[in-house]
Amino acid sequence: MRHIISILMENESGALSRVAGLFSARGYNIESLAVAPTEDPTISRMTLVTNGSEEVVEQITKQLNKLIDVIKLSDLTEGEHIEREMMLIKVKAVGEMREEIKRLADIFHGRIIDVTETTYTIEWTGSGNKSDALIEALGGTTILETVRTGVSGISRGEKCLRM
Amino acid sequence: MELTGAEIVIRCLKDEGVEFLFGYPGGAVLHIYDAIYQQDDVKHILVRHEQGATHAADGYARSTGNPGVVLVTSGPGATNAVTGIATAYLDSIPMVVLTGQVPTSLIGNDAFQEVDSVGITRPCVKHNFLVKDVKDLALTIKKAFYVATTGRPGPVVVDIPKDVTAHKTEYEYPDKIEMRSYDPTVKSHTGEIKRAVEMILSAQKPMIYTGGGVVLGNGSEILTELTRYLGYPITNTLMGLGAYPASDKQFLGMLGMHGTYEANMGMHHCDVLIAIGARFDDRVTGNIDKFCPDAKIIHIDIDPSSISKNVKVDVPIVGEVDPVLRDILGLLKEGKSKPDKTAIEQWWKQIEEWRSTNCLKFETNDEIIKPQQVLTELYKITNGEAYVTSDVGQHQMWSAQYYGFEKPRQWVNSGGLGTMGFGLPAAMGVQLAHPDKTVCCVTGEASIQMCIQELATCKQYNLPLKIILLNNRYMGMVRQWQEFFYERRYSQSYMETLPDFARLAESYGHVGMNIEKPADVEGALKEAMGMKDQLVFMNFLTDQKENVYPMIPAGAGLNEMILI
Ligand SMILES: Cc1ncc(C[n+]2csc(CCOP(=O)(O)OP(=O)(O)O)c2C)c(N)n1
């Protein structure tokens, strides 16, 4: 099953490589990983999407907790949560395709944020799995570049992951 | 007063109560060596190879419970230390390793003797640090000791660039420390402990299975009390030997790949398994699908990630071994129910039947020395009281099988990583910590050559080790596998061109002995043990084709042992 794990960790050089190293050394897979400092610059928040059986995910959270730089973590998928991913996608846009792409972007609530005579760049934000749907829908056009931030997530309601 | 970083390093060690610093100098740590020169609070032990420094510190730690401390230079100094760091990591040994680093301004430039020590050691340390500012130095060293020695212990590396050791700052060493991201204190669930007690009392065919965690957590005393109170059979892992007195009748010996018949059969047939400070390693479980098929499992461990990692358990208890076992015993004594006496008697009958196969029997003759004979004699002559270190191979298994360890920390070996070369330097650390005790290193002719240079260190510091070389002219354990599983194709496992070990030892200034006949074993051991002030290197020419039995072949269950 797919799990979204949110991690608060010391904003130290090397902290990221400890997480990445743990996943490669133990053969866990990372679908995406997004990390940046929080309102407290000494703390980073990482959102990690992984796949695995319940036993594997239990081991993953235990092993992550064991890392000395990890302050706290939570498996967002255990409760109600919101996930978002941002994607920038540059496509070839010429002739009648320009209209078609514009229409597609609208349907997906994407915005065209950069325009040239031959290209469009679409900015899109949504929940992780929908980004694949957009990419698929754009299949008829030539995709020049796809840039995804990876999923970030947060619990719904008053539940918080904080110090 | 302001001190240099180098002076701070040494002051920190002193304030931390460090007795010995095992090290080897080089460019990046010259300032620190200069600071060492100007004090005598911390005694520096100059090894002959950085691997030796780490194993010696490790042996010191294993035999005392205090952290071992190492100092090496950057680049090759650090890489040479990696094997020893990994060895300590896999056995959860508290150790602090200080590595020199090139000056901060050169980091990342492929400077002379630069390696990314933090990067290289990351997967084999509990934690590591790079100190970029002298102001952080003392605090970082404090953190290193704190992390290494608390919770599930392990090695911690502190990488210190050369310029940081030259810069000055006020020295202040904190008494206590807190880290928001690291809280090693664990309080176990009373609910789980109650469930464990119920399960323990419900057992008809119980087994207690304990590992290195009981030794590391100083839980041996309470374990013994609890086991005797229950009257249940107990087995120890390779790392757990000594946590329960081997001479006790409730003790079934070691379990696992080369465990006893009674221990492995007991495991396989038990209905309640009480696992304490053990981690269900593949050398213990055999084929995991066939492991303890009928057992409910209680697992007590300080590390939550050890629980249900390899084997799913029914009652998980995260906590320190000593308080948890005390709570369990307390509840047992308070409660009205007692262990099921008739069932346990029945169970013991079955166990005694298994025990009567006498799976560790061996035959001696007049011609050729059997390795088991050497260890049995060694046990007698040292009254079972020696510290014994070993290398890796058959001799290690025979030591574990035939030297009955009565006390925790008496048996020092590399169980997790299985590092050949460990035995001799580890014995140095043990001897330094226990100058008046007999310290024996049981080794093989292949293993001993991996760190043999440390014989010089032994001379320099007058360490009167007793080296017991079981010389079978083969990498015996490799040969055994080739005999069993590769149709006797002994590929590269014969040790050609061996040195004359006795004379080699003599050339280092020690006493060397060659023992070739079974009748001479006892006399030679007695003579060697009598030489209290000298290192004696005993080269026993042993049976070349002797195998370690019993053995569980790969893929088999614990009940599928090969007996002799
Ligand atoms: C550093 C290292 N290299 C290789 C091995 C693999 N290995 C395990 S046992 C063994 C043979 C050991 O031979 P020896 O020291 O003579 O002991 P014996 O088995 O004969 O008692 C080898 C090569 C190892 N454990 N460690």
Side-chain angles (χ1 to χ4, degrees), chain A residues 8-136:
Chain A
L8 288 182
M9 56 199 296
E10 295 290 347
N11 186 8
E12 299 266 357
S13 71
L16 178 60
S17 56
R18 286 181 213 280
V19 173
L22 171 70
F23 274 69
S24 66
R26 294 192 182 262
Y28 307 141
N29 63 59
I30 303 184
E31 204 172 275
S32 78
L33 189 155
V35 57
T38 61
E39 76 281 2
D40 175 347
T42 66
I43 297 177
S44 292
R45 176 144 173 168
M46 177 183 283
T47 312
L48 201 151
V49 181
T50 183
N51 263 303
S53 64
E54 290 310 305
E55 290 81 47
V56 169
V57 174
E58 185 184 328
Q59 261 302 308
I60 290 177
T61 52
K62 283 174 171 176
Q63 293 292 346
L64 282 168
N65 259 319
K66 215 164 120 175
L67 293 177
I68 307 294
D69 284 337
V70 168
I71 301 168
K72 238 182 188 182
L73 63 80
S74 107
D75 183 346
L76 294 182
T77 18
E78 276 174 0
E80 295 256 345
H81 64 280
I82 300 161
E83 63 169 283
R84 286 290 179 272
E85 177 169 22
M86 207 249 284
M87 179 162 70
L88 300 173
I89 187 158
K90 188 182 285 183
V91 293
K92 201 156 173 198
V94 285
E96 58 216 46
M97 282 312 279
R98 290 178 83 84
E99 246 331 284
E100 174 67 12
I101 293 164
K102 173 84 180 60
R103 214 168 51 81
L104 262 176
D106 286 345
I107 292 171
F108 278 85
H109 301 294
R111 295 195 301 144
I112 294 174
I113 53 169
D114 187 50
V115 178
T116 71
E117 275 172 20
T118 56
T119 65
Y120 278 162
T121 298
I122 307 167
E123 174 199 319
W124 172 88
T125 307
S127 71
N129 39 14
K130 292 218 185 83
S131 51
D132 294 332
L134 174 57
I135 291 174
E136 204 169 300

Side-chain angles (χ1 to χ4, degrees), chain A residues 10-14 17-18 21 25-26 40 42-43 55 58-59 62-63 65-71 163, chain B residues 89 118 122-123 125-130 132 143 147 152 179-182 303-309 312:
Chain A
E10 295 290 347
N11 186 8
E12 299 266 357
S13 71
S17 56
R18 286 181 213 280
R26 294 192 182 262
D40 175 347
T42 66
I43 297 177
E55 290 81 47
E58 185 184 328
Q59 261 302 308
K62 283 174 171 176
Q63 293 292 346
N65 259 319
K66 215 164 120 175
L67 293 177
I68 307 294
D69 284 337
V70 168
I71 301 168
M163 283 286 296
Chain B
Y89 180 64
V118 166
R122 188 180 303 120
V125 293
K126 184 169 173 189
H127 197 56
N128 58 19
F129 299 93
L130 169 65
K132 288 194 185 136
K143 282 183 185 171
V147 171
R152 178 177 181 171
M179 290 165 72
R180 64 180 176 186
S181 64
Y182 175 68
D303 178 1
S305 75
S306 271
I307 291 178
S308 290
K309 182 175 72 177
K312 203 142 182 56

Side-chain angles (χ1 to χ4, degrees), chain B residues 83 391-396 398 417-421 443-448 450 470 472 474-478 495:
Chain B
T83 300
D391 272 297
V392 175
Q394 293 182 314
H395 63 272
Q396 175 188 28
W398 286 318
L417 196 66
T419 310
M420 290 168 69
T443 183
E445 75 295 334
S447 292
I448 190 71
M450 288 214 176
L470 302 177
N472 53 9
Y474 272 106
M475 296 176 197
M477 190 55 96
V478 174
M495 291 304 287

Side-chain angles (χ1 to χ4, degrees), chain B residues 73-142:
Chain B
T73 193
S74 67
T79 55
N80 271 350
V82 169
T83 300
I85 295 170
T87 303
Y89 180 64
L90 276 217
D91 289 341
S92 307
I93 305 304
M95 199 150 99
V96 172
V97 180
L98 310 172
T99 52
Q101 184 53 278
V102 301
T104 40
S105 59
L106 292 182
I107 289 180
N109 278 11
D110 302 322
F112 177 63
Q113 296 196 325
E114 177 181 4
V115 292
D116 175 8
S117 299
V118 166
I120 285 180
T121 59
R122 188 180 303 120
C124 59
V125 293
K126 184 169 173 189
H127 197 56
N128 58 19
F129 299 93
L130 169 65
V131 184
K132 288 194 185 136
D133 186 332
V134 68
K135 290 196 180 66
D136 301 330
L137 185 55
L139 186 63
T140 307
I141 292 176
K142 181 75 198 176

Side-chain angles (χ1 to χ4, degrees), chain B residues 282-298:
Chain B
D282 52 275
R283 284 291 189 267
V284 157
T285 61
N287 186 336
I288 208 98
D289 298 328
K290 301 180 184 171
F291 180 73
C292 292
D294 306 320
K296 291 249 182 326
I297 303 178
I298 301 162

Side-chain angles (χ1 to χ4, degrees), chain B residues 212-528:
Chain B
V214 178
V215 177
L216 294 167
N218 300 317
S220 161
E221 204 185 296
I222 184 73
L223 171 72
T224 309
E225 205 182 322
L226 174 68
T227 306
R228 290 200 173 132
Y229 176 85
L230 288 167
Y232 291 179
I234 177 169
T235 175
N236 291 162
T237 66
L238 178 67
M239 295 311 297
L241 293 172
Y244 190 84
S247 61
D248 191 279
K249 58 184 185 316
Q250 279 171 255
F251 185 61
L252 306 190
M254 179 172 77
L255 81 164
M257 183 172 274
H258 294 297
T260 65
Y261 188 63
E262 52 273 30
N264 285 336
M265 292 300 275
M267 289 292 287
H268 188 80
H269 292 280
C270 74
D271 67 347
V272 170
L273 180 66
I274 308 157
I276 310 168
R279 60 187 176 93
F280 298 85
D281 175 83
D282 52 275
R283 284 291 189 267
V284 157
T285 61
N287 186 336
I288 208 98
D289 298 328
K290 301 180 184 171
F291 180 73
C292 292
D294 306 320
K296 291 249 182 326
I297 303 178
I298 301 162
H299 189 187
I300 302 164
D301 205 286
I302 197 164
D303 178 1
S305 75
S306 271
I307 291 178
S308 290
K309 182 175 72 177
N310 300 340
V311 171
K312 203 142 182 56
V313 307
D314 300 282
V315 181
I317 300 178
V318 178
E320 284 179 38
V321 54
D322 186 84
V324 170
L325 295 188
R326 273 177 209 288
D327 286 354
I328 290 178
L329 186 59
L331 280 184
L332 281 168
K333 286 183 172 168
E334 268 169 33
K336 285 190 250 358
S337 340
K338 295 274 167 279
D340 184 338
K341 210 164 157 243
T342 9
I344 305 301
E345 269 169 22
Q346 260 325 99
W347 179 227
W348 270 111
K349 248 190 216 146
Q350 170 67 72
I351 290 171
E352 290 307 338
E353 212 171 284
W354 288 324
R355 179 134 66 182
S356 68
T357 56
N358 196 8
C359 67
L360 295 181
K361 63 179 173 289
F362 61 93
E363 274 162 24
T364 49
N365 62 50
D366 297 340
E367 285 310 306
I368 188 135
I369 300 174
K370 292 285 182 180
Q372 301 94 325
Q373 179 198 350
V374 179
L375 286 158
T376 323
E377 295 284 356
L378 178 68
Y379 177 83
K380 279 193 220 140
I381 288 163
T382 55
N383 294 320
E385 287 167 359
Y387 283 90
V388 178
T389 74
S390 90
D391 272 297
V392 175
Q394 293 182 314
H395 63 272
Q396 175 188 28
M397 293 301 127
W398 286 318
S399 307
Q401 292 174 329
Y402 294 94
Y403 198 102
F405 296 98
E406 293 291 302
K407 297 234 164 72
R409 304 194 180 280
Q410 207 189 334
W411 164 236
V412 171
N413 86 125
S414 164
L417 196 66
T419 310
M420 290 168 69
F422 176 80
L424 171 57
M428 303 190 316
V430 177
Q431 186 80 77
L432 282 161
H434 308 277
D436 302 326
K437 295 281 162 65
T438 303
V439 181
C440 302
C441 165
V442 181
T443 183
E445 75 295 334
S447 292
I448 190 71
Q449 293 188 79
M450 288 214 176
C451 273
I452 197 143
Q453 74 287 344
E454 299 305 333
L455 284 174
T457 312
C458 294
K459 187 68 195 169
Q460 182 173 348
Y461 299 98
N462 297 316
L463 304 177
L465 305 179
K466 303 296 174 273
I467 297 176
I468 289 127
L469 169 59
L470 302 177
N471 185 346
N472 53 9
R473 282 83 76 212
Y474 272 106
M475 296 176 197
M477 190 55 96
V478 174
R479 193 205 56 74
Q480 176 169 347
W481 281 61
Q482 290 170 335
E483 176 186 331
F484 287 10
F485 311 117
Y486 296 89
E487 297 170 325
R488 298 170 196 250
R489 289 186 296 277
Y490 297 134
S491 178
Q492 307 295 321
S493 57
Y494 183 63
M495 291 304 287
E496 312 228 11
T497 56
L498 285 172
D500 179 336
F501 284 107
R503 281 174 57 203
L504 181 65
E506 281 164 11
S507 82
Y508 277 105
H510 303 302
V511 178
M513 284 184 181
N514 287 309
I515 307 99
E516 290 170 23
K517 288 280 169 252
D520 299 334
V521 171
E522 189 189 346
L525 282 169
K526 276 194 178 142
E527 191 188 342

